[in-house]
Amino acid sequence: MSSQRDKILGSIAGSGAVAVRGAAEALFSVAGKGLLDEGAREGLRRVMVENTTAVVSAFAPGLSLGAQATTKLIADQGGTQAAAIVAQTAARQAGKAALIDGVSTTVAKGLAREAMRAAGREVLKGAGKAAGIGFVIDGAFGAYEGVTAYQRGEMTKKEALTHAAQEASTGAVATGAGVLLAAGLVAVTGGAAAPLVFAVGAGGAIGAKQVLRRLIDRVSTKTLARNVADEGQVG
């Protein structure tokens, strides 16, 4: 079940990342292209893709098989990329106006900042949507696990509810993080093919979920050990 859950979370984050790709490219055009030289951009992109695809292969094998079909549908629909395209066009027109019509540098910079804000809002909106879906999906899985564990006597009612809440919250954080990771990569390194963006978003979400699981398990183990020690002292 864990692999299936990771595939679903990865698909949500990957699809969300493709949906905001246009906004991320606008951020690159306005500001990101000046942060790194071409060699550094290629190196960063290669490392990020290799690491995230390795995570997908390890925890959600087979996910990448449907990536191209999924991302093609999203790209064809356009969706939330419309505002980002408008923002990108506005930034380009501002630059042309500054060169051709003699518009002041201050005005051009102001228009560029407005384009950045619009694109940034699109990215955050996409990450928020993915996080919301991740919250619902992982919450449903967590609730099922909690109920079945309670029925088997492996969890108390409180522990089952806590487990469901933890899964829902970590699912939201992980999917949102996956979208932001992919968008950040595009914003810093430039345009990338949809399957590549999908892979980074999916791998980022799955990796974040694994890290959060380990942290929660570690905290739970420490809490259990502390409670046992306290009971021993009382006895």
Side-chain angles (χ1 to χ4, degrees), residues 2 11 30-32 46 50-51 70 99 114 139 147 155 174 187-188 194 196-197 209 211 224 232:
S2 179
S11 295
V30 175
R46 183 173 60 254
E50 288 176 354
N51 288 338
T70 303
L99 293 173
E114 200 57 41
V147 168
M155 286 186 180
V188 173
L196 184 150
V197 176
K209 180 68 178 184
V211 170
L224 179 60

Side-chain angles (χ1 to χ4, degrees), residues 127-145:
K129 287 181 179 179
I133 299 172
F135 181 90
V136 173
I137 296 297
D138 240 15
F141 274 104
Y144 172 78
E145 290 173 345

Side-chain angles (χ1 to χ4, degrees), residues 118-196:
R121 283 194 295 268
E122 281 297 305
V123 170
L124 292 176
K125 189 189 300 181
K129 287 181 179 179
I133 299 172
F135 181 90
V136 173
I137 296 297
D138 240 15
F141 274 104
Y144 172 78
E145 290 173 345
V147 168
T148 54
Y150 172 71
Q151 291 173 340
R152 292 194 301 265
E154 297 172 358
M155 286 186 180
T156 64
K157 185 181 293 186
K158 181 179 179 181
E159 289 171 340
L161 291 172
T162 300
H163 177 76
Q166 287 174 342
E167 290 301 311
S169 58
T170 54
V173 171
T175 47
V179 174
L180 291 177
L181 179 66
L185 179 66
V186 174
V188 173
T189 65
L196 184 150

